[in-house]
Amino acid sequence: AQSVTQPDIHITVSEGASLELRCNYSYGATPYLFWYVQSPGQGLQLLLKYFSGDTLVQGIKGFEAEFKRSQSSFNLRKPSVHWSDAAEYFCAADGPGDSNYQLIWGAGTKLIIKP
Amino acid sequence: ETGVTQSPTHLIKTRGQQVTLRCSSQSGHNTVSWYQQALGQGPQFIFQYYREEENGRGNFPPRFSGLQFPNYSSELNVNALELDDSALYLCASSDPTSGSTDTQYFGPGTRLTVL
């Protein structure tokens, strides 16, 4: 079955430190991949997406993600986090050629920033 | 260009009641998807509408139903509410013909509490 796994329920990093959030997928073929961020009480905001081509994808707010086919991973990174980055981060996938654009979601990783 | 909007923001119902949630798509988007997000979990796909027709459904019972109107706004109806229906309900719009395949833009959600 298709699935998306975010192994870390929560991660704590110091402000100014680097960040990597993990995402692994299980699909028959390489899916389209997304990272969304959800702040408390807010909807989901798209950070970046990967469809094909360059495996290093740049997004908004200084985030980037790297697609690694051999590891079935799409990890999110940021060189230096800010307190405003505290939120929940979701990785999602959609099978290419699917007719209904159904997103399969990971359970999320809550990012906590230490001052 | 307006984003996705949802109403109401919060709603409290009792078991057995019926509820209608509303969503206005981002301008020009003809596809609407609904998701249920229980506390501490990732969103779960409920169904999607494309040009007023249901275009895919997740693992939700028939008491979850929807409509899409000619202006592409949408409703989610839930009958015979159960306690487990308490969740954040998210609406997302997209335009598969725009070239941004599968990119969904989310509203802020409706928080439903069933007592």
Side-chain angles (χ1 to χ4, degrees):
Chain A
Q2 299 165 337
S3 66
V4 173
T5 303
Q6 293 179 247
D8 304 303
I9 296 172
H10 51 77
I11 280 184
T12 301
V13 299
S14 298
E15 191 170 14
S18 64
L19 170 70
E20 182 169 30
L21 301 182
R22 296 184 289 163
C23 172
N24 294 96
Y25 64 87
S26 175
Y27 262 79
T30 300
Y32 301 139
L33 295 160
F34 306 82
W35 275 99
Y36 284 85
V37 61
Q38 186 175 38
S39 298
Q42 304 288 316
L44 290 151
Q45 182 181 20
L46 179 67
L47 287 175
L48 47 78
K49 59 191 177 187
Y50 172 78
F51 291 163
S52 64
D54 193 346
T55 57
L56 187 61
V57 180
Q58 301 298 320
I60 63 170
K61 303 185 177 187
F63 286 93
E64 66 178 26
E66 185 172 13
F67 168 67
K68 293 186 177 179
R69 186 191 306 275
S70 61
Q71 298 176 19
S72 298
S73 69
F74 188 57
N75 294 348
L76 182 72
R77 301 194 296 244
K78 187 170 184 178
S80 176
V81 299
H82 185 261
W83 65 267
S84 61
D85 293 324
E88 189 143 25
Y89 291 79
F90 291 93
C91 181
D94 185 6
D98 284 356
S99 63
N100 63 6
Y101 310 107
Q102 175 183 157
L103 288 174
I104 307 295
W105 296 80
T109 298
K110 186 174 183 179
L111 175 62
I112 301 164
I113 307 294
K114 286 192 301 185
Chain B
E1 180 179 278
T2 57
V4 179
T5 60
Q6 292 185 243
S7 63
T9 306
H10 296 88
L11 203 52
I12 299 175
K13 293 284 189 178
T14 56
R15 275 186 302 173
Q17 285 189 311
Q18 177 267 342
V19 68
T20 298
L21 310 182
R22 294 180 175 83
C23 171
S24 291
S25 303
Q26 186 163 315
S27 178
H29 286 184
N30 55 25
T31 302
V32 174
S33 303
W34 285 91
Y35 293 83
Q36 180 194 67
Q37 186 180 18
L39 202 60
Q41 298 182 25
Q44 299 290 317
F45 176 72
I46 303 175
F47 46 57
Q48 182 185 88
Y49 279 81
Y50 171 66
R51 293 186 175 178
E52 302 177 58
E53 297 287 331
E54 189 176 289
N55 185 40
R57 190 178 182 91
N59 190 26
F60 280 80
R63 59 189 185 85
F64 285 78
S65 63
L67 281 174
Q68 188 181 31
F69 300 100
N71 66 355
Y72 302 137
S73 65
S74 176
E75 285 182 356
L76 164 66
N77 299 289
V78 186
N79 294 322
L81 284 167
E82 301 176 359
L83 296 179
D84 285 349
D85 296 333
S86 295
L88 181 68
Y89 288 85
L90 295 162
C91 164
S93 74
S94 57
D95 178 8
T97 63
S98 71
S100 296
T101 309
D102 295 340
T103 300
Q104 299 190 15
Y105 296 90
F106 284 81
T110 294
R111 172 72 64 187
L112 173 64
T113 302
V114 182
L115 302 176

